[in-house]
């Protein structure tokens, strides 16, 4: 692409400089999501941009006057100039961007809950890294109904594809050919999280699975303290699943519904962190990992990785 031949007045067109690169947009988006000022290291961790890249972008953003430094030389942090009307509009744009993504996921979840026969579980394999890349979704179903379930879902997702101008690829699996699934990093859309029980000795596998579930449950307990709305989201999910699915798996969800409706936040957080038999058993059908936002999953993944070291 050829460079712009004629420059434009930055007073009249400040967005050229403000939003000139993806690096700047990611930094501005992160600053807009945090009222407290952030250091270069914190911005690097939250944006997945190298510290030198963050430093260089901040230097340019400070020159625009929309990003300012707070703190002394050894504790410099950066924040937005919140009172600027242009930045207020930009923050609203970031909010709309986030809501659009959440609406997409909720729309897909709604299709899965309304489609018959519903899948046992469904999750997003990989989010697109380019606008032309498909959104890949996997689902677990019974062998006798899997073909019909995949076809019905493909038909039902057409409106979502047109509304958001995306292509959705569906991959159906039975338990016999189920690939490995990461309950932390994958985005669950329906049903309960699943895992592949093959390829390891039963004792070692169950110990690893229990340890992973324990770490995830402890991180969710911490997240609930930060954002209690996670509980109401999990409760709505359980209600939706119980309206469409019945069977042995629904017994655990009935227990979760009772817990989510009757436990106080402190009691619930204690239950999630408990090593008791009931807590350990119900972790395998926890509704929380299904309703996590992308930002929450990233935070939990960071917590689990920290505990691994």
């Amino acid at each position: 692409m050829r460079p712009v031949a004629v420059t434009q007045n930055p007073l009249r067109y400040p967005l050229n400089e403000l939003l000139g690169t993806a690096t700047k947009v990611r930094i501005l988006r992160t600053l807009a999501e945090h009222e407290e000022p952030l250091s270069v290291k914190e911005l690097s961790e939250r944006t997945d941009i190298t510290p030198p890249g963050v430093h260089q972008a901040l230097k340019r953003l400070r020159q625009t006057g929309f990003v300012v430094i707070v703190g002394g030389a050894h504790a410099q942090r950066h924040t937005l100039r919140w009172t600027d009307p242009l930045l207020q509009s930009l923050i609203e744009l970031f909010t709309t961007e986030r809501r659009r993504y959440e609406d997409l996921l909720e729309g897909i979840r709604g299709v899965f809950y309304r489609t018959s026969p519903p899948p046992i579980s469904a999750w997003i394999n990989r989010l697109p890294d380019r606008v032309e890349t498909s959104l890949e979704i996997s689902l677990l179903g019974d062998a006798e109904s899997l073909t019909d379930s995949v076809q019905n879902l493909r038909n039902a997702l057409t409106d979502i594809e047109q509304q958001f101008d995306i292509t959705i690829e569906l991959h159906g699996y039975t338990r016999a050919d189920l690939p490995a699934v990461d309950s932390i990093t994958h985005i669950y859309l329906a049903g309960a999280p699943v895992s592949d029980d093959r390829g390891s000795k039963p004792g070692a596998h169950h110990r690893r699975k229990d340890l992973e579930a324990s770490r995830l449950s402890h991180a969710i307990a911490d997240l609930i303290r930060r954002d209690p709305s996670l509980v109401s989201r999990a409760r709505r999910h359980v209600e939706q699943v119980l309206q469409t699915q019945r069977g042995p798996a629904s017994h655990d969800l009935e227990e979760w519904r009772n817990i989510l409706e009757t436990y106080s936040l402190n009691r619930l957080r204690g239950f999630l962190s408990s090593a008791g038999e009931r807590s350990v058993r119900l972790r395998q059908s926890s509704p929380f990992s299904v309703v996590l936002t992308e930002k929450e999953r990233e935070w939990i993944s960071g917590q689990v990785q920290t505990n691994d070291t």
Side-chain angles (χ1 to χ4, degrees), residues 105-126:
L105 294 187
E106 286 305 308
I108 295 174
R109 287 190 176 108
V111 168
F112 275 91
Y113 287 126
R114 294 191 300 269
T115 300
S116 180
I120 298 172
S121 184
W123 61 94
I124 294 177
N125 290 339
R126 179 173 58 89

Side-chain angles (χ1 to χ4, degrees), residues 32-76:
E33 293 173 348
H34 295 79
E35 293 186 4
E36 72 279 9
L38 298 175
S39 67
V40 170
K41 180 182 178 181
E42 291 169 331
L43 281 167
S44 177
E45 292 172 347
R46 287 166 170 77
T47 60
D48 289 327
I49 301 171
T50 64
V54 171
H55 180 78
Q56 185 63 30
L58 284 172
K59 180 179 178 181
R60 297 289 297 178
L61 288 171
R62 289 197 302 268
Q63 291 174 351
T64 67
F66 294 110
V67 173
V68 296
I69 293 178
V70 297
H74 298 291
Q76 283 190 353

